[in-house]
Amino acid sequence: MLVDGDVVLRPIRVRDQRAWREVNRRNRDWLRPWEATIPPPTPSGPITHRPTYRQMVRHLRSEANAGRMLPFVIEYQGRLVGQLTVAGITWGSMCSGHVGYWVDQSVAGRGVMPTAVALVVDHCFRTVGLHRIEVCIRPENRPSRRVVEKLGFREEGLRPRYLHIDGAWRDHLVYALTAEEVPEGLLGRWQRARSGTPHGPRNPQNTPGNPG
């Protein structure tokens, strides 16, 4: 569990189904333009369908057990408000992963998602041992781009027709961060930026929410 004030990241559970479905249903129109979809099957390819909630959780757990994924739900003030997943974890000479997320529109703009991303990046760099984190975002998704821009992720370029989103192949901008760029911790940097003291003292051992 990763915690900073009212924001909590914890592993997704089967018993989260009711709360997860309620939030997802209420935010259907808000999320639809940015959610991955399954492309139409090719003549020789298999027919695939969106998984049920239980199938999704089983898949996430299997990938987590294999060391390829870190699946979390986001809680704010004790209520489930979103989901954040570190996926595509690769070891060896790369030590990299990519982050995807969504959040309840009712708490958007309160710093919940930047805090959640900062928490998980610090966890990936300091505890898991990854070196690089990517976030890929549609150019039109300004709210999501603001999250990573506030945190200081670098924009590295465009990946044309990168993912099937909302019924078509969509371009994505690539944002990235490496461990060397945040030696003091991303959460600490985000907290200083929010408080207006971006050059405050560095003390990562005592940073609130730093997993240990």
Side-chain angles (χ1 to χ4, degrees), residues 55-72:
Q55 289 171 336
M56 177 190 71
V57 172
R58 282 199 298 269
H59 170 72
L60 293 175
R61 284 182 171 177
S62 175
E63 290 294 287
N65 290 335
R68 293 188 292 261
M69 188 176 287
L70 297 171
F72 296 98

Side-chain angles (χ1 to χ4, degrees), residues 118-165:
L119 278 166
V120 85
V121 168
D122 283 352
H123 179 64
C124 286
F125 287 164
R126 296 176 171 183
T127 303
V128 179
L130 297 182
H131 172 252
R132 173 184 166 91
I133 293 293
E134 285 188 2
V135 184
C136 296
I137 303 170
R138 286 186 61 183
E140 304 88 349
N141 192 346
R142 287 302 311 168
S144 189
R145 290 175 61 186
R146 282 196 295 270
V147 169
V148 293
E149 288 164 358
K150 288 175 182 178
L151 293 173
F153 277 72
R154 286 175 288 102
E155 183 182 327
E156 292 191 332
L158 184 72
R159 289 181 178 167
R161 296 171 295 282
Y162 178 62
L163 284 176
H164 200 268
I165 302 282

Side-chain angles (χ1 to χ4, degrees), residues 1-3 119 122-123 126-128 204-212:
M1 182 179 294
L2 311 176
V3 181
L119 278 166
D122 283 352
H123 179 64
R126 296 176 171 183
T127 303
V128 179
Q205 287 77 22
N206 294 324
T207 300
N210 178 36

Side-chain angles (χ1 to χ4, degrees), residues 163-174:
L163 284 176
H164 200 268
I165 302 282
D166 194 27
W169 294 103
R170 309 289 184 176
D171 297 348
H172 279 65
L173 289 169
V174 182

